[in-house]
Amino acid sequence: MASLLTLALREPQALAHRSLADWELVIRQGRGTNLLARLAARLEERGLLDAVPAAPRAHLDAARIVCRAQEEAVRREVTILREALVRAGVEGILLKGAAYLYAGLPAARGRLYTDIDLLVPRESLGAVEAALMLQGWATTHHHPYDQRYYRRWMHELPPLQHATRLTVVDVHHAILPPTARPKPDSAKLWADSRALSSAPPLRVLAPADMVLHSATHLFFNEEFSHGLRDLSDLDILLRHFASQAGFWDRLGARSLELDLARPLYYALRYARALLGTPVPAAVLRAAEAAGPPSPLRTLMDGLFLRVLQTGLPAGQDRLAALARQALYLRAHWLRMPPLLLAYHLTHKALRPRELQPAPR
């Protein structure tokens, strides 16, 4: 059963003539998934915002104000990041939300931000980290195990938080950990990336790679509080890039080249199922070849369709919690070989509570 928010994102006109009780529900769902400002943007694009009743309209307007403030904050932080990269003599690729904003993509409209994601060459991690520390960012994970976990096994540095502004930067050297089963070649991402003439030395991923990274981030993730927002990102990216000649062929071929056909399969399947994303039939058939066997597909449908939606009946909350726990374990299983995973989970289980949270 689709949530009211999912229906509203898919068909904004479906909110017309809804009761205030329905509006209260969709406002709560939108706020809980960081999609309230995007819903406001969708309503405005369709010319429906002025018809929203006064009480829910106030919440939508407030979300739009927060969104504009966050956009300004992201632009300010990226300006400072650029200064750090110039000092380090390193190019960087903006990922996800900041990339959508700087590339002028529709996915930036009404999007809220939790951090800024940056991809740099692995050999430049030390220089970039030092440059960011001179600008006021510092690591958020001080326990020796956390530092070792990130620096030895993960595809990113421990998150960096600014000492006064509290903004968070995630500095990546790859889009998946080196211990993960798929091993997309970062050099290929760099080779096809596009320079931002308005913000050198920053770049953004090519369209197909941008979609594949978004899909990989969502379907290899262990935490789904922003899952519907990320699926909405994919829906908007796919609708936008579909107008480019050869995009669908390039997307399929690139997913095979980067060993990311499985997350693309999930992205197309659930974006189409929940948000009505138009995908050519031939593309769907090709993606099916990378999908799991039938029994596993049924299981994954049950898990993903539950956690990617909000507003499920109260009696299903326990099942949703179990689905999130199952996907949490799945994400770690995909990212680590069995012995390393057993070591990591044992360490987390035995670690004193006051030293939590353990790394992702």
Side-chain angles (χ1 to χ4, degrees), residues 155-305:
H155 56 304
E156 59 185 327
L157 293 174
L160 301 170
Q161 186 172 49
H162 197 272
T164 56
R165 298 191 301 274
L166 304 182
T167 51
V168 176
V169 177
D170 281 337
V171 181
H172 303 252
H173 62 81
I175 63 173
L176 280 176
T179 56
R181 288 169 175 77
K183 301 190 183 302
D185 188 348
S186 295
K188 294 181 178 180
L189 299 176
W190 278 97
D192 277 15
S193 65
R194 314 290 172 83
L196 284 172
S197 58
S198 62
L202 289 172
R203 308 176 70 86
V204 294
L205 295 174
D209 293 351
M210 195 176 286
V211 169
L212 289 171
H213 173 249
S214 182
T216 301
H217 174 80
L218 174 56
F219 292 104
F220 275 77
N221 204 358
E222 74 274 16
E223 201 275 324
F224 283 86
S225 61
H226 298 137
L228 186 57
R229 183 203 66 179
D230 292 344
L231 190 69
S232 176
D233 287 348
L234 280 162
D235 169 61
I236 297 172
L237 290 173
L238 289 167
R239 290 174 188 269
H240 176 72
F241 291 139
S243 63
Q244 298 181 4
F247 167 73
W248 290 112
D249 290 339
R250 176 60 174 161
L251 180 63
R254 191 66 161 170
S255 73
L256 297 174
E257 183 181 352
L258 293 174
D259 197 17
L260 297 176
R262 180 64 65 87
L264 177 62
Y265 159 79
Y266 285 130
L268 298 181
R269 183 175 183 84
Y270 300 125
R272 184 170 176 268
L274 294 179
L275 299 174
T277 310
V279 181
V283 175
L284 287 173
R285 286 194 298 271
E288 287 284 337
S294 181
L296 182 56
R297 179 185 304 137
T298 301
L299 173 63
M300 299 315 296
D301 282 349
L303 296 175
F304 279 126
L305 290 174

Side-chain angles (χ1 to χ4, degrees), residues 5 26-36 59-60 62-63 112:
L5 176 61
V26 80
I27 293 295
R28 284 194 289 110
Q29 292 173 354
R31 182 174 290 112
T33 54
N34 275 354
L35 279 167
L36 196 54
H59 290 279
L60 294 171
L112 297 183

